[in-house]
Amino acid sequence: MVSRVRVWLNRTYAENVFFMDQLRRNPCDRAVEIHATHGDPDSPVLAAADTAEPEPEGLSPAAYVEYALDQCVRRGIDVFVPRLHQDAIVAHRAEFAAVGTALLAPPAEAVAVFRDKDTAYHAARSIGVAVPPWWRVTDEDQLVAAVEELEAGGHRACFKPAAGAGGVGFRVITRAPFSMAQLNGFPGPQVPLDLVARAVREAEEPVDWLVMPRLAEPEVSVDCLTGTDNLIRMAVGRTKNGRRRGFTLHERWLEPARRLAEGFGLHHLSNIQFRMYDGEPVLLDVNTRPAGGLHQLSQCGVNAPWAAVQLALGEDPGTVEPPFLGADYAVVSGPRPVRPVSLPRQRTEEPQQQAAEVGQQRAGEPGQAPVPPAAPIGPVEVGSGAAPALPL
């Protein structure tokens, strides 16, 4: 009898409810039990999991590693997919391996390279991957000088934090004075240069931003699966052009993504993003984690989350190629359940069997007692469902 696989996702994006769905619908028909932790009790990933716990707040990275190791031991975790404090966790890979947990994340060296966008651009350029011009700025004078140089070349300037994810802190510089144009309609990313310069000047601490040209669409996110032998198992591009989304296997996007994933050992799942600069693809960002939109590859007949778990368990899935490319689509939001306030929730079926399995695989560790659900579940919107788009 093949034992079930226990997977833990920590403080992950709401969209990863779809990642969890795909693990359960794996083509091997393998039983998967999912554990989730989060700081937000209303995160839908907690409701989607088999077991769930609230995460403690305010832990240092070192303390979080201790917390994570304890979770892996108590829960009998086979595969841990870390997002929060990924850099600290992967630095202790051997300790997780010692308690029987494989990390679905790149090695510490690769995470360090791409955690800082300035370092990442230097690294990518060193192996021949095209990158846009950029300036790292910490004060008002550097900011204004970078913006003026970009504008002199006919480009619009934008900035973003040197370290960050999910588009947090991204803004586009405008010379237009603040007016009702910024207040009418929906909020946008545009901010007047004079207001930005004044905010930087009056800030209590230096900023740490990258200033660069506003890159053109399409945006292409290449989802990669790479083995610990540094060889790519999967590379599929997801295209974004306005509302319209699609898929591509064009080498202009896949070749530089492979070069980065294999050259820097981006083991397991990574997401490498490109946009256009002067008519050519350039690197936008490298994420050393599964993308929130990874599940969209299911429209191409690919179950990337399960292939990644197999790889983490040492079961090489071989080359993962989409049997077809799905039709263009748009992303729309939809409801997903959330948990009642009371946590944790535990599995209610087969509690004796579950405890026995954990005891067999983690000798000397206690089984997990079930806690029945306490209240009805309500919905929350998750904005990564896919709907087909009309052909052009």
Side-chain angles (χ1 to χ4, degrees):
M1 175 180 175
V2 179
S3 63
R4 73 180 68 190
V5 180
R6 296 177 178 86
V7 180
W8 173 27
L9 287 80
N10 76 331
R11 204 171 297 209
T12 192
Y13 301 113
E15 287 81 0
N16 275 334
V17 293
F18 304 115
F19 186 103
M20 299 158 77
D21 291 344
Q22 286 190 279
L23 289 182
R24 293 192 177 101
R25 296 196 300 264
N26 67 82
C28 298
D29 201 26
R30 182 100 172 257
V32 175
E33 180 180 303
I34 299 173
H35 181 54
T37 58
H38 209 286
D40 178 4
D42 292 330
S43 171
V45 300
L46 298 178
D50 298 293
T51 60
E53 289 186 20
E55 286 198 357
E57 297 293 340
L59 294 182
S60 68
Y64 193 91
V65 170
E66 293 302 316
Y67 160 79
L69 283 165
D70 178 68
Q71 286 282 310
C72 290
V73 171
R74 289 196 300 111
R75 297 291 183 174
I77 301 299
D78 299 300
V79 178
F80 177 19
V81 188
R83 190 198 68 82
L84 182 66
H85 293 310
Q86 185 194 61
D87 52 344
I89 289 165
V90 296
H92 294 267
R93 188 180 299 270
E95 295 171 47
F96 285 93
V99 300
T101 301
L103 297 182
L104 201 158
E109 297 80 9
V111 172
V113 168
F114 295 105
R115 186 170 182 268
D116 179 279
K117 293 177 173 60
D118 179 61
T119 303
Y121 282 170
H122 280 291
R125 190 168 60 182
S126 73
I127 63 168
V129 173
V131 298
W134 82 96
W135 291 258
R136 190 168 198 159
V137 305
T138 59
D139 59 31
E140 179 188 3
D141 290 342
Q142 293 174 347
L143 168 70
V144 172
V147 171
E148 289 178 344
E149 187 165 347
L150 280 167
E151 290 177 342
H155 300 287
R156 298 187 68 188
C158 62
F159 65 87
K160 58 186 177 181
V168 174
F170 171 79
R171 298 292 187 274
V172 178
I173 294 288
T174 177
R175 293 283 186 166
F178 187 79
S179 68
M180 288 301 298
Q182 278 78 38
L183 300 178
N184 290 330
F186 293 104
Q190 296 187 358
V191 289
L193 177 59
D194 60 331
L195 296 186
V196 178
R198 186 176 71 186
V200 172
R201 182 169 63 249
E202 297 175 353
E204 295 181 358
E205 297 180 356
V207 298
D208 188 11
W209 291 344
L210 293 192
V211 176
M212 55 193 297
R214 180 73 165 105
L215 302 175
E217 289 188 319
E219 181 176 313
V220 178
S221 292
V222 182
D223 295 307
C224 296
L225 178 64
T226 309
T228 55
D229 55 4
N230 292 346
L231 296 179
I232 282 277
R233 304 301 195 275
M234 180 197 78
V236 183
R238 290 182 287 112
T239 65
K240 176 182 178 182
N241 202 338
R243 183 185 292 273
R244 181 173 290 270
R245 311 294 175 89
F247 304 99
T248 180
L249 295 176
H250 198 291
E251 284 298 311
R252 74 186 310 197
W253 313 105
L254 268 55
E255 189 279 330
R258 288 195 198 95
R259 196 183 307 180
L260 287 163
E262 295 182 340
F264 291 99
L266 291 172
H267 302 164
H268 306 294
L269 286 169
S270 60
N271 175 256
I272 303 173
Q273 301 171 352
F274 301 90
R275 273 191 171 231
M276 303 297 287
Y277 175 71
D278 285 348
E280 296 295 331
V282 294
L283 179 68
L284 176 63
D285 206 357
V286 175
N287 296 306
T288 59
R289 53 165 175 77
L294 178 69
H295 65 92
Q296 293 164 13
L297 296 186
S298 64
Q299 295 191 93
C300 301
V302 172
N303 189 328
W306 177 248
V309 165
Q310 284 185 292
L311 196 58
L313 292 172
E315 305 167 4
D316 197 330
T319 301
V320 179
E321 295 182 348
F324 55 87
L325 291 184
D328 285 1
Y329 61 101
V331 171
V332 297
S333 62
R336 292 287 297 208
V338 295
R339 288 296 303 156
V341 174
S342 58
L343 282 176
R345 173 176 76 96
Q346 310 299 339
R347 292 174 62 94
T348 56
E349 73 274 19
E350 306 175 320
Q352 294 180 345
Q353 176 183 345
Q354 178 183 358
E357 289 178 357
V358 172
Q360 292 170 3
Q361 295 189 21
R362 308 276 193 251
E365 297 170 16
Q368 181 62 54
V371 177
I377 292 174
V380 67
E381 286 192 354
V382 178
S384 283
L390 293 173
L392 292 174

